[in-house]
Amino acid sequence: MILPLISALLYIGSYLHTGFYFLTFFALIPYFIFLFQETKFIRLLIGSIIWKLIILVGVVYFLFDPFLNLVKLLPFLGLPLTIFFTKKYFKKINIGIFLLIISIGFFIFDCISNYILLSFLGLNIGSSLGGSPFLGLAGMGGLLGMG
């Protein structure tokens, strides 16, 4: 359960005004390793809750409404459920395909929790890299590709 904590701390570090914006590019790696290694559903669920709550607490200074961001946790819990069933029913899955499933699942459930149920698009768009030297990346992926 240490990997979700490390991932959340890296993500929080990218928000602080310390110049460590590059941590945004590496913050999800420990969390994805945790999702890949963990086999018990309850630990996947608890690890994901811990990861999301630590990020919420760590970036509360930059958020508009912490309560609404807590509500965003519920749809995101579909990701550990997806990972658990993928591991359970596809026992001999290639790591590349598994990483693709994790990435697509993360994207889908993050979009559902951030941009569909409660439209936080205006508040969250590019929030982690908007004030960084990486602002030029918006030309390639738009502001959505930055945060």
Side-chain angles (χ1 to χ4, degrees), residues 25-131:
F25 300 113
F26 304 105
L28 288 177
I29 294 172
Y31 181 63
F32 282 179
I33 292 171
F34 165 76
L35 292 175
F36 180 71
Q37 290 179 342
E38 191 56 55
T39 57
K40 296 182 180 177
F41 175 68
I42 194 71
R43 289 180 58 94
L44 277 171
L45 195 64
I46 291 172
S48 295
I49 290 172
I50 288 171
W51 179 76
K52 198 73 165 169
L53 285 177
I54 289 174
I55 288 175
L56 174 67
V57 170
V59 299
V60 72
Y61 173 75
F62 304 98
L63 298 177
F64 178 68
D65 190 351
F67 176 73
L68 290 178
N69 279 286
L70 188 60
V71 173
K72 292 185 338 181
L73 176 67
L74 296 175
F76 187 77
L77 294 180
L79 178 65
L81 188 66
T82 302
I83 299 303
F84 176 74
F85 284 117
T86 301
K87 285 183 186 178
K88 185 174 182 177
Y89 293 113
F90 301 106
K91 298 208 184 264
K92 297 191 182 218
I93 192 167
N94 184 351
I95 190 167
I97 295 171
F98 185 73
L99 288 175
L100 182 67
I101 290 170
I102 289 177
S103 301
I104 291 171
F106 186 85
F107 177 75
I108 289 171
F109 289 111
D110 191 51
C111 283
I112 289 171
S113 67
N114 281 327
Y115 308 125
I116 293 176
L117 290 181
L118 302 167
S119 183
F120 286 98
L121 183 62
L123 301 174
N124 291 341
I125 194 164
S127 57
S128 61
L129 292 175

